[in-house]
Amino acid sequence: MKCCTTMAALLLLTLTLIAYATNRDLTLSVAGALSRPFPAAPPTEGIGITGHPLQDLLNIAHNTPELRALSAATYIHVLFPGPIDSAIALSSNPDKESTEDKNRLQEAVADSKTMDADFKGQTKISLVHYVWCGLRLFDFRNYLAIRSALQAVRPEKVVVHYDYLPMQDPESYYTWLDLLQEQYPNVMLLKVDKTSQRECRASGPTRFLLILDILQRYGGMYLPDDAIFLRIPQRHLEKDFVSGVASCSLTYFAEGAIVVTVQNVSLPQKDKQLLRRISQCQAKEDDLRPCITDARFLELPSSQPSCVRLHSVTFPKDIWYSYDRLSNLSKNVAYGTSYVMPRRSPYADDRTPRIAHYLCTDDCRLSFSVYLSVLSALHVGELDRAVIHGPVQPSGPWWQRLQQDVGSRVLYLNREFPLSRDPSLEMTNQMRRYIMRTEILVHYGGIFSDGHVFWTQRLPDELLEYEAVASPDWHAHGSWPESINHALLVARGGALYLQRLLDVYYDNSNTQSPWFPDHYLSYRLLEVDPTLLYLYPRLQVKCLNHNCHPVWEEGYRSTFLQNRPGQQFDWQKDTLTVYWLDSFPDLEVDQVRFSTGLIVDIARFILRAANVGIDFL
């Protein structure tokens, strides 16, 4: 009776799958290591399928006792008989299985022997090997390549065999290998012996004979270090040796995967033996093919290659807001999703409050610039109030004038300098200020503003929906593709970006170059998780010594010492704020009274908006 009930339920599931299959291609998304039983917990907790047509299938399976113990592979096999490709494994959290669950599994397997006869399960590949030769930088493409193998194959170890460790650039951008090892402790480096170093840097058959020697000793899979790995059909994994490398000439070999499933298998030892064992460029239909280029991957939307070699993807920002096939694949490898838009909430209660925060340290005699900045925040940016934080009460004639002009809309809150997490480390005052402004935003939320930031338009409500907003900076520094300007930072209280930024500051609290973690290590946070921050170019134009840099224009980046003038812009229409930095002198009221220029025009505009006459200052 139990057998009949099981078969009837399986028939229901089959019809459900057929209905879905008419609209969605399921073969790629369900292939993989699916042979474990369904967990006792609801499927949304135990199996990583969200918003997928198979979710209903899993729900039915969970609610049917006779089926709960069956593997997902069993269900899929009913609809798609034959071997299941090792394409993309579903992510799952192993659950503890009760004795009752194990008994159900045994009974269910006994009842479904016929249906599961052809399903052999995944051939376990415990080692994935990469061969790193020569003096090279480990870049984002290499990071994606190894991450893809870790996710799709799930090996016990990834071994990078090298003759020279990856190079480090002077500006410390290329730290992708460090990040990878931090995320995946099972990535290890192994230096090849001296006799193999020449073979490592060779081309053609010599290099691949070294790779085969490694596979013969350890077993496992070899993959190119610049290729995203997608799949190897199960039929190939049932062989002792399979190669996706193709010999196109005596010296040129098309890169691909090589798999050795049995340790110490007999492999080629000489060039001629190698040429006989691997595929030729014109591979047979059943051969494992070499990796294809990313350009070819885009040209053939229906292609299902084993791996894709990356040439056009250089930096994470190249893929964030692109939705072609290659970008979506790369985002899924890097972030687990193809949608990486900044965190945003449409609910009014979640919006960043319209409160401006300023820091006042040292003797805290308020300057004319700070007075003007606060006026612009309240009367042009239309923020509700301004709060000045610091260890010393603001003072001076401009503080008195500010209180007179805006009244209770400006207030002072006492705040002491932060202490280092490690008492033995000495923090610079600049780093203390970075930490103070970030902790203020974590606690209150709002808009942190430098005292030289002047609003030229109202802050739109839409920007307050984002969890955190800043603008790119124009400073070019080595290979860093971008940097972040925190002179104006809009953020919700407790924003995840702020919390991670604080960790960056504290981890580098004793640096003598605090600008580096502030501008560049903060950008690395964004490369790791693009949802943390909305980089909005028109939030601000930064001007240094009268040279302004609109960061939405082509070629806006320049070295700090070069300070190349940027493109012309309309300060009343093109940007929300202008950040005006002069080495000497600071902006003074007499300059506004008697001179001309961009900053003078902006200052007079602010005073008019605040209904303050220049002649009465």
Side-chain angles (χ1 to χ4, degrees):
M1 180 65 183
K2 182 181 291 185
C3 179
C4 295
T5 304
T6 302
M7 293 300 295
L10 276 170
L11 179 60
L12 173 62
L13 285 170
T14 302
L15 294 175
T16 303
L17 274 171
I18 291 172
Y20 281 131
T22 57
N23 297 316
R24 298 278 302 263
D25 175 18
L26 303 182
T27 55
L28 272 181
S29 51
V30 302
L34 303 177
S35 56
R36 61 184 295 273
F38 284 103
T44 52
E45 297 177 12
I47 295 190
I49 304 177
T50 305
H52 194 282
L54 280 179
Q55 186 63 65
D56 290 345
L57 164 66
L58 300 185
N59 290 335
I60 295 172
H62 173 69
N63 294 320
T64 307
E66 292 80 7
L67 297 178
R68 187 181 299 154
L70 287 178
S71 69
T74 302
Y75 302 132
I76 306 307
H77 189 74
V78 174
L79 189 58
F80 305 107
I84 297 181
D85 285 350
S86 62
I88 302 171
L90 294 174
S91 61
S92 60
N93 298 319
D95 300 293
K96 292 183 179 179
E97 299 171 29
S98 64
T99 304
E100 183 182 358
D101 287 336
K102 290 180 180 178
N103 292 337
R104 276 187 188 149
L105 173 62
Q106 293 172 354
E107 293 173 9
V109 170
D111 286 341
S112 58
K113 276 184 179 179
T114 304
M115 290 177 293
D116 261 348
D118 293 333
F119 180 69
K120 306 298 182 183
Q122 278 301 126
T123 300
K124 177 63 178 174
I125 296 174
S126 58
L127 291 174
V128 173
H129 304 273
Y130 292 88
V131 177
W132 184 270
C133 303
L135 293 170
R136 295 189 289 149
L137 293 164
F138 191 98
D139 61 23
F140 184 57
R141 296 172 307 151
N142 308 124
Y143 171 80
L144 288 178
I146 297 182
R147 266 189 73 105
S148 69
L150 285 159
Q151 294 167 2
V153 182
R154 298 184 183 180
E156 294 175 16
K157 290 282 186 184
V158 167
V159 185
V160 180
H161 304 263
Y162 70 94
D163 59 350
Y164 291 100
L165 286 170
M167 296 169 61
Q168 179 62 66
D169 59 313
E171 297 79 21
S172 299
Y173 175 72
Y174 290 102
T175 57
W176 291 106
L177 179 57
D178 295 336
L179 176 62
L180 187 71
Q181 290 186 293
E182 181 182 323
Q183 294 171 334
Y184 295 94
N186 58 334
V187 175
M188 62 177 292
L189 305 177
L190 185 63
K191 188 176 180 65
V192 298
D193 56 54
K194 290 185 177 180
T195 57
S196 301
Q197 289 181 11
R198 181 177 297 178
E199 298 172 359
C200 187
R201 293 188 291 275
S203 60
T206 304
R207 180 170 182 272
F208 285 99
L209 286 172
L210 168 64
I211 293 167
L212 292 183
D213 179 62
I214 290 171
L215 291 174
Q216 188 169 33
R217 277 185 285 165
Y218 301 106
M221 176 188 291
Y222 160 78
L223 290 170
D225 60 41
D226 62 352
I228 288 181
F229 174 73
L230 294 176
R231 61 192 290 277
I232 291 182
Q234 177 66 26
R235 65 182 183 277
H236 291 302
L237 298 179
E238 294 169 356
K239 305 172 185 176
D240 292 347
F241 168 78
V242 62
S243 170
V245 174
S247 169
C248 298
S249 71
L250 293 177
T251 57
Y252 173 67
F253 285 61
E255 282 270 21
I258 305 176
V259 183
V260 172
T261 57
V262 179
Q263 215 170 331
N264 297 318
V265 66
S266 177
L267 294 176
Q269 303 293 321
K270 296 181 180 179
D271 293 6
K272 291 183 179 179
Q273 296 174 345
L274 175 67
L275 294 173
R276 284 197 295 269
R277 288 293 299 272
I278 67 174
S279 304
Q280 303 302 304
C281 260
Q282 299 299 322
K284 299 176 184 177
E285 185 64 30
D286 194 50
D287 287 344
L288 180 62
R289 305 296 183 91
C291 302
I292 66 173
T293 65
D294 50 10
R296 191 72 173 154
F297 185 67
L298 290 172
E299 290 171 3
L300 303 174
S302 61
S303 62
Q304 297 178 15
S306 60
C307 43
V308 180
R309 299 192 70 182
L310 300 174
H311 299 289
S312 59
V313 177
T314 307
F315 299 109
K317 73 172 190 174
D318 297 337
I319 61 175
W320 289 342
Y321 308 128
S322 175
Y323 294 94
D324 59 56
R325 191 183 185 207
L326 179 66
S327 297
N328 285 341
L329 172 63
S330 300
K331 282 183 285 188
N332 272 294
V333 171
Y335 308 116
T337 176
S338 60
Y339 185 82
V340 292
M341 297 297 287
R343 298 163 184 262
R344 184 177 187 180
S345 173
Y347 302 109
D349 291 345
D350 291 336
R351 287 181 179 174
T352 299
R354 300 185 76 91
I355 300 174
H357 298 280
Y358 291 83
L359 283 183
C360 192
T361 56
D362 305 321
D363 66 352
C364 207
R365 282 182 62 86
L366 224 64
S367 67
F368 176 66
S369 286
V370 176
Y371 165 79
L372 203 61
S373 178
V374 175
L375 284 185
S376 75
L378 299 177
H379 293 286
V380 181
E382 297 185 16
L383 306 186
D384 295 333
R385 64 173 52 201
V387 183
I388 298 177
H389 305 258
V392 182
Q393 172 84 28
S395 61
W398 292 114
W399 170 243
Q400 296 173 3
R401 181 62 198 245
L402 185 61
Q403 290 179 303
Q404 174 187 326
D405 290 340
V406 301
S408 61
R409 294 181 69 191
V410 63
L411 60 97
Y412 163 73
L413 288 180
N414 180 269
R415 190 175 193 88
E416 297 299 325
F417 275 123
L419 299 175
S420 173
R421 290 176 178 173
D422 184 346
S424 65
L425 300 179
E426 187 66 30
M427 260 197 288
T428 65
N429 284 338
Q430 187 62 50
M431 183 60 80
R432 291 180 192 275
R433 284 190 283 269
Y434 290 160
I435 292 174
M436 282 179 73
R437 74 182 180 197
T438 311
E439 289 180 337
I440 287 167
L441 288 180
V442 167
H443 187 72
Y444 298 104
I447 300 94
F448 170 80
S449 177
D450 186 276
H452 294 83
V453 170
F454 306 108
W455 289 85
T456 59
Q457 292 190 71
R458 182 184 185 275
L459 175 62
D461 291 333
E462 290 79 5
L463 283 183
L464 301 177
E465 296 175 0
Y466 291 95
E467 192 170 281
V469 186
S471 67
D473 215 331
W474 56 270
H475 301 161
H477 185 59
S479 297
W480 285 89
E482 198 70 88
S483 60
I484 297 178
N485 176 7
H486 291 117
L488 189 73
L489 180 56
V490 182
R492 197 181 307 162
L496 187 56
Y497 175 70
L498 299 176
Q499 297 176 44
R500 293 188 180 172
L501 185 60
L502 273 178
D503 289 336
V504 168
Y505 289 152
Y506 276 113
D507 290 345
N508 297 273
S509 59
N510 65 329
T511 180
Q512 296 304 303
S513 303
W515 54 268
F516 182 71
D518 183 50
H519 288 273
Y520 296 99
L521 295 185
S522 59
Y523 183 71
R524 176 50 53 88
L525 293 176
L526 198 56
E527 290 191 309
V528 174
D529 184 354
T531 69
L532 292 177
L533 177 75
Y534 178 28
L535 265 187
Y536 181 49
R538 294 182 184 272
L539 183 67
Q540 185 169 103
V541 170
K542 186 175 180 179
C543 303
L544 175 63
N545 296 333
H546 295 247
N547 285 342
C548 297
H549 303 271
V551 293
W552 60 85
E553 299 285 358
E554 289 289 333
Y556 67 87
R557 304 188 74 217
S558 170
T559 62
F560 186 77
L561 293 177
Q562 186 183 20
N563 190 20
R564 186 177 62 247
Q567 300 292 324
Q568 294 294 317
F569 70 102
D570 186 334
W571 59 267
Q572 290 181 288
K573 296 179 180 178
D574 293 339
T575 182
L576 297 180
T577 64
V578 171
Y579 180 30
W580 188 265
L581 286 174
D582 251 341
S583 299
F584 181 84
D586 198 6
L587 183 63
E588 296 290 350
V589 67
D590 283 345
Q591 183 181 350
V592 178
R593 280 197 183 104
F594 304 118
S595 64
T596 59
L598 174 66
I599 190 59
V600 172
D601 292 341
I602 293 173
R604 291 175 178 172
F605 167 75
I606 293 168
L607 292 172
R608 286 195 300 271
N611 200 26
V612 174
I614 185 69
D615 296 331
F616 295 97
L617 290 176

